[in-house]
Amino acid sequence: MKTREKYPRNTPMTKPLPVRKAVLPVAGMGTRFLPATKAVPKEMLPVVDKPVVQYAVEEAMEAGIEQFIFVTGRGKHVIEDHFDHAYELEALLRERDKTKELDSLLESLPKSGSVSFTRQQKPLGLGHAVWCARHFIGDEPFAVLLPDDLILGKPGALKQMMKAYHDVGGGAVIAAEERPESEISRYGVIAPGKIVGNIIEVKGVVEKPKIKEAPSRLRIVGRYILPSEIFAELDRKEKGAGGEIQLTDSMQKLIGRHPFHAVNVKGSWYDCGDKVGFLHANIAVGLARPDIAPALRAILKSVGT
Ligand code: G1P
């Protein structure tokens, strides 16, 4: 049962460590989007005019993240180029007084030295991808953002989670969303405890359970704040659902040892790893853009929606 009670702010004994680093796993092959993703990483597919991965980076920047660690694979080098200056292009825009375009390129560029790349080398699962970033993270808490999950919220999902992280006194904080029972087996699922406002105590997490075994209809969304102790669990490289090293399985091991909460994030969520979800994101973002919305609305009407 939801209550109107609020988590008391700043009551924890110690102030939680700041979350300064984010891991973005982007090594997936994008087979669901072939042939588009044969030579172009799926994270670079645009939602209107911005690559999917840039939405995640901007969300992380808004939440105060200072360092970005991309876990990549072969053929993903254009992601590196995207988060770097493009001198010729910038000079051309400057020369032609295209200030708006130039500003939009520059404002979302992370600072020099704040972006790192490491390769996953083998597609062994999300847990393995996160583990590959361990030397960049060291012993501080960190965020993980899965760019396929595009979340449009004000404030953004990670910023909402950061607030919860401080309110509950640190530990692990993941994003949650209620889904219909028929979809729940596609995701990591949460066994909820006490619910206060939009903060849910997490009593368990299970990756891709059968419908009958799912502890709830609350699925894990691809946003996490995790303590560095997760690496000791990931180090074991135990295989879980689908024969992959699952992040969810290592998170389960933290429960009881670290405060563990989920936040029912406010916002619209789109699964950009799925064709229909990706098209949905394009339509929704387009309709929210004053420069595009009128023409797009007319087109949608003309095709009979
Ligand atoms: C991953 C996680 C899963 C989570 C999902 C969110 O699954 O393993 O727990 O619910 O992301 O998008 P994947 O999409 O890699 O199958």
Side-chain angles (χ1 to χ4, degrees):
M1 276 294 285
K2 285 192 178 186
T3 69
R4 289 195 175 274
E5 193 184 337
K6 282 203 167 156
Y7 265 100
R9 296 193 69 186
N10 302 325
T11 45
M13 306 298 280
T14 51
K15 216 170 152 216
L17 289 171
V19 182
R20 304 180 308 124
K21 299 178 181 177
V23 176
L24 293 105
V26 291
M29 304 279 274
T31 49
R32 282 195 266 174
F33 280 89
L34 284 170
T37 47
K38 190 177 169 196
V40 176
K42 65 172 175 163
E43 296 79 12
M44 290 303 293
L45 298 180
V47 171
V48 181
D49 50 11
K50 209 191 275 184
V52 167
V53 66
Q54 195 176 326
Y55 288 88
V57 168
E58 288 178 5
E59 183 189 320
M61 283 175 154
E62 181 208 14
I65 295 296
E66 295 165 10
Q67 291 181 40
F68 301 84
I69 300 102
F70 289 86
V71 181
T72 72
R74 287 172 61 77
K76 301 279 182 166
H77 51 274
V78 295
I79 299 178
E80 292 192 38
D81 291 341
H82 185 75
F83 291 105
D84 191 6
H85 280 283
Y87 285 108
E88 301 89 334
L89 181 61
E90 288 167 18
L92 187 86
L93 293 174
R94 218 166 268 129
E95 205 180 285
R96 296 191 179 165
D97 282 333
K98 294 202 176 257
T99 322
K100 217 175 88 198
E101 287 82 354
L102 181 62
D103 288 350
S104 85
L105 278 192
L106 300 179
E107 75 194 11
S108 55
L109 203 59
K111 286 190 193 129
S112 295
S114 65
V115 187
S116 313
F117 295 86
T118 187
R119 286 199 180 199
Q120 191 180 3
Q121 296 181 326
K122 286 181 188 169
L124 299 180
L126 178 60
H128 178 256
V130 172
W131 176 82
C132 289
R134 65 201 180 283
H135 296 305
F136 293 87
I137 300 298
D139 55 6
E140 52 182 293
F142 63 103
V144 178
L145 296 97
L146 309 186
D148 276 356
D149 277 323
L150 175 63
I151 312 167
L152 301 177
K154 276 192 179 137
L158 192 61
K159 193 166 181 181
Q160 295 177 40
M161 292 165 66
M162 289 286 198
K163 182 180 177 303
Y165 171 81
H166 290 284
D167 284 351
V168 300
V173 176
I174 58 179
E177 185 207 29
E178 232 170 87
R179 299 302 298 169
E181 192 183 65
S182 57
E183 289 180 18
I184 211 70
S185 298
R186 293 191 214 159
Y187 302 110
V189 182
I190 294 166
K194 187 176 144 196
I195 300 175
V196 179
N198 68 338
I199 301 181
I200 304 154
E201 183 195 358
V202 176
K203 295 218 145 166
V205 282
V206 49
E207 184 66 20
K208 301 188 175 64
K210 294 193 180 111
I211 292 184
K212 281 188 185 154
E213 287 157 22
S216 75
R217 292 204 288 109
L218 277 175
R219 70 107 176 178
I220 302 172
V221 183
R223 298 289 185 276
Y224 312 77
I225 295 172
L226 297 169
S228 60
E229 284 80 2
I230 190 105
F231 291 120
E233 300 304 332
L234 292 170
D235 254 337
R236 299 182 211 278
K237 305 207 181 67
E238 285 169 12
K239 289 184 180 163
E244 296 190 345
I245 301 169
Q246 297 290 355
L247 183 60
T248 304
D249 295 344
S250 287
M251 291 196 305
Q252 171 63 35
K253 305 254 177 62
L254 298 183
I255 295 170
R257 289 163 34 201
H258 294 266
F260 208 121
H261 297 86
V263 180
N264 204 334
V265 290
K266 293 190 183 78
S268 313
W269 164 84
Y270 307 95
D271 180 3
C272 288
D274 170 78
K275 280 175 204 162
V276 176
F278 177 72
L279 292 173
H280 188 183
N282 270 282
I283 293 168
V285 172
L287 289 175
R289 283 262 301 259
D291 56 333
I292 294 172
L296 181 58
R297 205 168 284 121
I299 289 171
L300 292 175
K301 216 170 161 193
S302 76
V303 294
T305 52

